[in-house]
Amino acid sequence: MIRELQLQRAKALLVTHSHYDHALDVAALGQRLPKLQIIGSGSTLNIARGGHVPEQQLVPVQPWKALQIDHFSISAIPSQHTPPTAVNNDLGQEIAHPLPLPARFSEFKEGHSFDYLIEHHGCRILVKASTGAIANQFKNIRADVLFLGIAQLSRQAPGYQQRYLMHTLGTLKPEIIVPMHWDDFFQPLHQPLQFLLRAADNTARSMQILIDAAAKQKTQVVLLSQPVSYSLP
């Protein structure tokens, strides 16, 4: 998949938090791509250290401080994770030491969450992986494209759903919104993306909630159906 998706061209890996479904491959990518910078929390960097990724590839997150990589300006914004569940109740806990793999999923502590604002030749993209938002965090930010996590959205109270969409979609006012964190990450990457099993999440309902909110402010919804690679100048 590295060659198929042209990942050998990548210069930075932006990790939003340190749960296994976001950070499991951090060390493997760092090992195979020696020019790749891994940007994340101390917990994320300890996952990379567990795989013996060289320190010169590890970049600790500095909230709100823009990082310049070629023509890209990247700012990490403190965020909030999706509300905890019975098997996901470690919010704020950190991975204090290098984590060698294999490891139990419970060892992948959240380690604090971040969103990323990416600016490239006047285009502004905001990536928010988790279904949690800090009030007024984006009040002075606008984004052309918003990648928005919707995991567990349908399982939250209506008031929570409304606040989440108001603080993200409603505040950023993007032209395009791309739902993310809705697919079954246990499936092979070369297959078309699929919804998670209903026992894990009512993804169809979460997707519809987002589509309805986007329609009210005339924001285009773009759904990724399979892994893709992009060519940028």
Side-chain angles (χ1 to χ4, degrees), residues 36-72:
L36 183 72
Q37 296 184 57
I38 297 173
I39 302 169
S41 68
S43 295
T44 292
L45 302 190
N46 272 331
I47 296 172
R49 291 186 181 105
H52 306 291
V53 177
E55 285 293 323
Q56 61 264 30
Q57 290 180 243
L58 309 184
V59 181
V61 159
Q62 298 186 53
W64 299 107
K65 184 176 181 179
L67 175 66
Q68 198 72 31
I69 299 179
D70 289 346
H71 298 294
F72 292 85

Side-chain angles (χ1 to χ4, degrees), residues 3-205:
R3 184 171 299 176
E4 181 180 341
L5 298 179
Q6 302 183 50
L7 294 182
Q8 70 277 4
R9 300 176 60 221
K11 296 188 176 181
L13 176 63
L14 313 178
V15 185
T16 59
H17 63 278
S18 300
H19 283 150
Y20 72 96
D21 55 327
H22 293 254
L24 181 63
D25 294 333
V26 162
L29 288 171
Q31 293 165 355
R32 288 164 174 76
L33 301 171
K35 296 182 180 180
L36 183 72
Q37 296 184 57
I38 297 173
I39 302 169
S41 68
S43 295
T44 292
L45 302 190
N46 272 331
I47 296 172
R49 291 186 181 105
H52 306 291
V53 177
E55 285 293 323
Q56 61 264 30
Q57 290 180 243
L58 309 184
V59 181
V61 159
Q62 298 186 53
W64 299 107
K65 184 176 181 179
L67 175 66
Q68 198 72 31
I69 299 179
D70 289 346
H71 298 294
F72 292 85
S73 177
I74 301 164
S75 300
I77 302 172
S79 188
Q80 183 171 299
H81 192 272
T82 310
T85 64
V87 296
N88 181 23
N89 58 358
D90 60 356
L91 304 190
Q93 296 182 30
E94 300 183 359
I95 302 171
H97 305 285
L99 181 64
L101 300 182
R104 296 180 180 275
F105 83 90
S106 58
E107 296 181 73
F108 288 84
K109 307 300 183 183
E110 182 232 0
H112 307 295
S113 294
F114 296 91
D115 305 323
Y116 289 98
L117 177 65
I118 304 167
E119 301 177 67
H120 179 268
H121 291 318
C123 179
R124 297 163 65 87
I125 299 170
L126 193 132
V127 179
K128 163 173 275 302
S130 297
T131 314
I134 298 174
N136 300 317
Q137 193 77 308
F138 301 139
K139 65 179 181 180
N140 296 318
I141 298 175
R142 289 293 179 269
D144 302 296
V145 181
L146 171 60
F147 285 77
L148 187 67
I150 61 169
Q152 300 289 321
L153 180 61
S154 65
R155 298 194 172 182
Q156 309 307 317
Y160 184 99
Q161 297 172 5
Q162 294 169 7
R163 289 191 299 274
Y164 176 66
L165 293 170
M166 176 185 68
H167 291 313
T168 55
L169 175 64
T171 300
L172 292 164
K173 303 187 185 306
E175 296 178 13
I176 296 172
I177 187 165
V178 184
M180 60 184 299
H181 208 337
W182 55 263
D183 58 297
D184 186 349
F185 43 80
F186 294 107
Q187 299 300 316
L189 285 175
H190 63 270
Q191 295 181 1
L193 303 183
Q194 304 176 37
F195 283 174
L196 281 167
L197 294 176
R198 183 66 178 269
D201 195 5
N202 187 347
T203 305
R205 177 58 184 152

